[in-house]
Amino acid sequence: MSAELEIDWTRCQGRGLCIELLAADLTSDPWGYPSARRADGHQSGTVILAEDQREAANEAVKMCPLSALKLRTSAHQ
Amino acid sequence: MSTTSIPKVHLGVLEEPRLLAAGPDASWSQHLDTFGPVPSPAEDSQIVEQWEASGLSGRGGGSFPTARKIAAVQRSVNRTGKAPVLIANGSEGEPLSYKDQMLLTHAPHLVLDGMELTDRILGASERYLVTKAGAHPRLLQAMSERGETSVTLHATDSHFLAGQATAVISSLEGGPSLPRHQPWHLSDLGLGGAPTLLVNVETLAHLALIARYSAHWFRSAGTEEDPGSRMVSIHDAGHYQVHEVHGGTNLSVLLEQLQIPTKDIHAVLVGGFHGQFTTDLDISLSATTDAAQYPSTLSVGAGVLEILRFGTCPLERASEIVDYLAQSSAKQCGPCMFGLPTLARDLQAVARRSTDPQLTERIERLTQLVSGRGACHHPDATARLASSALHVFDDELQAHLSGQCLHKF
């Protein structure tokens, strides 16, 4: 069971609440939009969450003022 | 259906036109004289089999296997019981592409045949043909000739992203013709929530031919990896031409056939503004995007080629294109709205021979930063074009970074 944070880029305006709540997974890009931290240092749009981040992610989904976040869980992989 | 017996000797322009076989401005009677009527409903299950065996991939740029797309809609219809919607997409937002316009002018009946057949097989409740308004008089004429009354014509905007699938849906729903955030498949949730089949008009024309002449016939053109034929728009020094060519054709063979001397060509942009540059002309133009499996193959996307002759600075051209793409952003998604103009500015600095040593690193970082971070693939494809320019024109890049240009003195 893994979870993925899905960002609706057409809604996101870079308010940054999610970046604060999920500091381990998200970083701010040069324009203030959330970007996934990856092991290789690159940034990416897809945020795959560790199990212990689920609660914080739920919080981010609820707190986003633009309702731009959704949590997607998938049973496989 | 055996395909191994077909030798891969077919290259370049088709010996005999297929899509345009009925001649210029083909009327309904010329169309019927050339192709005959569409097969009867009794043959529907064979038609579906032939479509699948043909290996036809979408000709709108995405190159997704068409039969799989149709099957996904059928599955969704069976699961939900909702009537599907059929959308023929002839929006052609790419400014270098003319093939859909050409096809709708000269072979509208083949496109309408393709709609008639997919519609019949899917049991669609609504049918839309989406094109620029300029194509409508000809289509209305063709529809009246054949007594077609169930197709709704829809005029789309002419900007770059207007033809993107979710932008077409949005426009049909009365919204702006801009891409949408769409995490689900159109086959499950498309227009008004209905299972939706959205296919390019050329793809539909091929479906109409395969239904009549079989998958084996379709595969007698092209290669095993890229069966059949496709329309291509070729731009050379301000002139353009449209041809129907073999799938998987070798690029230099095609150019020689068209009497565009390869010795004068420095590079070719393959796949249009969302494509890639190549200086190696000994490559095949294919539907495949799998560079690892087919290293000497480039994805031709919606069939657009732009010739860059010696004497034109390719970095300047790349900069112009990225600038256009940055301006074409729908400005809905932050990373695209801010990232692409920054990318365009840095690439313009390269084109203008700025000697800032950090430019290339900054461009590489930007291309990674915007990729995958939009509702559509516009930022990804723009980034890919920019990095393709820097990699393919590395000699030019090094010269520019030292204030020189290899093409202009």
Side-chain angles (χ1 to χ4, degrees):
Chain A
M1 192 86 164
S2 74
E4 219 177 88
L5 199 62
E6 181 190 305
I7 304 171
D8 179 346
W9 294 105
T10 64
R11 285 175 180 256
C12 176
Q13 290 187 8
R15 299 289 176 90
L17 274 175
C18 57
I19 302 172
E20 284 189 28
L21 286 165
L22 291 161
D25 294 291
L26 292 179
T27 169
S28 170
D29 77 4
W31 310 286
Y33 292 88
S35 181
R37 266 185 213 282
R38 289 195 338 208
D40 58 8
H42 291 321
Q43 290 168 307
S44 136
T46 318
V47 191
I48 297 160
L49 296 166
E51 191 57 41
D52 61 354
Q53 292 295 300
R54 287 287 283 280
E55 206 171 314
N58 272 321
E59 191 71 1
V61 171
K62 272 188 255 166
M63 297 282 279
C64 176
L66 280 310
S67 306
L69 296 175
K70 240 185 220 150
L71 204 56
R72 206 164 41 185
T73 51
S74 72
H76 20 260
Q77 230 252 303
Chain B
M1 181 63 53
S2 162
T3 55
T4 47
S5 58
I6 299 163
K8 295 188 201 173
V9 292
H10 303 298
L11 292 168
V13 179
L14 280 192
E15 297 76 9
E16 294 283 333
R18 290 182 165 191
L19 298 170
L20 301 176
D25 286 312
S27 66
W28 180 225
S29 61
Q30 283 169 320
H31 171 80
L32 288 177
D33 285 348
T34 311
F35 302 112
V38 293
S40 75
E43 292 174 55
D44 281 359
S45 61
Q46 288 102 298
I47 291 174
V48 173
E49 280 168 23
Q50 292 302 308
W51 285 350
E52 201 181 319
S54 72
L56 170 66
S57 61
R59 300 296 196 236
S63 300
F64 190 80
T66 307
R68 271 172 58 192
K69 213 171 179 178
I70 295 171
V73 175
Q74 275 178 318
R75 274 198 307 274
S76 173
V77 169
N78 293 339
R79 200 176 52 241
T80 62
K82 287 189 200 165
V85 170
L86 168 65
I87 302 173
N89 191 6
S91 311
E92 207 167 37
E94 164 85 48
L96 297 182
S97 184
Y98 289 92
K99 57 109 180 161
D100 287 343
Q101 190 183 321
M102 184 76 99
L103 190 68
L104 292 168
T105 303
H106 299 298
H109 289 294
L110 220 42
V111 176
L112 291 164
D113 281 354
M115 289 186 79
E116 188 180 323
L117 288 167
T118 40
D119 176 30
R120 195 171 82 196
I121 282 159
L122 288 172
S125 60
E126 295 167 49
R127 306 133 202 103
Y128 298 93
L129 177 48
V130 182
T131 74
K132 286 169 193 153
H136 286 195
R138 172 67 175 124
L139 291 171
L140 284 169
Q141 182 211 13
M143 282 158 63
S144 101
E145 276 181 308
R146 60 195 278 150
E148 170 61 71
T149 53
S150 64
V151 171
T152 306
L153 288 184
H154 181 79
T156 186
D157 289 333
S158 55
H159 66 83
F160 189 78
L161 294 174
Q164 202 269 344
T166 59
V168 170
I169 302 274
S170 171
S171 171
L172 280 168
E173 287 177 357
S177 52
L178 297 175
R180 276 181 181 171
H181 176 66
Q182 168 95 5
W184 44 82
H185 293 293
L186 291 180
S187 55
D188 291 325
L189 273 174
L191 185 68
T196 299
L197 179 70
L198 186 143
V199 268
N200 170 258
V201 288
E202 183 192 334
T203 311
L204 285 163
H206 286 293
L207 289 176
L209 292 180
I210 296 163
R212 285 176 167 94
Y213 306 136
S214 86
H216 186 73
W217 167 85
F218 181 74
R219 285 178 168 274
S220 67
T223 61
E224 202 170 324
E225 292 78 30
D226 187 27
S229 62
R230 67 162 49 78
M231 309 268 284
V232 291
S233 314
I234 301 158
H235 288 254
D236 176 30
H239 300 282
Y240 79 90
Q241 37 187 323
V242 176
H243 294 279
E244 194 178 358
V245 306
H246 283 282
T249 185
N250 178 282
L251 176 59
S252 60
V253 170
L254 174 65
L255 295 171
E256 291 292 354
Q257 259 186 2
L258 299 175
Q259 298 179 335
I260 302 174
T262 47
K263 65 174 175 45
D264 297 342
I265 299 173
H266 174 229
V268 176
L269 173 60
V270 176
F273 285 3
H274 273 177
Q276 298 167 74
F277 294 98
T278 179
T279 48
D280 179 6
L281 305 182
D282 191 22
I283 52 149
S284 82
L285 305 174
S286 180
T288 179
T289 48
D290 190 350
Q293 201 184 347
Y294 303 105
S296 58
T297 286
L298 273 185
S299 166
V300 73
V304 175
L305 300 173
E306 182 180 325
I307 313 292
L308 279 75
R309 292 194 178 222
F310 285 106
T312 329
C313 172
L315 292 173
E316 274 184 19
R317 184 60 186 138
S319 162
E320 280 170 16
I321 295 173
V322 171
D323 201 47
Y324 172 90
L325 292 172
Q327 288 177 43
S328 302
S329 166
K331 299 180 178 62
Q332 301 182 113
C333 310
C336 181
M337 173 164 61
F338 294 107
L340 297 198
T342 315
L343 181 63
R345 190 195 60 203
D346 284 348
L347 206 61
Q348 193 178 59
V350 167
R352 289 182 177 165
R353 304 179 219 171
S354 158
T355 52
D356 180 351
Q358 288 174 338
L359 262 179
T360 43
E361 200 195 312
R362 212 158 61 217
I363 292 174
E364 290 294 353
R365 212 171 44 231
L366 275 165
T367 59
Q368 285 163 5
L369 193 57
V370 299
S371 293
R373 299 180 67 219
C376 71
H377 293 301
H378 187 58
D380 313 51
T382 305
R384 197 181 55 198
L385 181 104
S387 20
S388 145
L390 295 196
H391 290 123
V392 172
F393 306 123
D394 187 50
D395 292 348
E396 284 79 2
L397 175 66
Q398 298 314 323
H400 272 228
L401 291 172
S402 59
Q404 309 292 312
C405 180
L406 302 177
H407 297 266
K408 285 185 174 170
F409 307 100

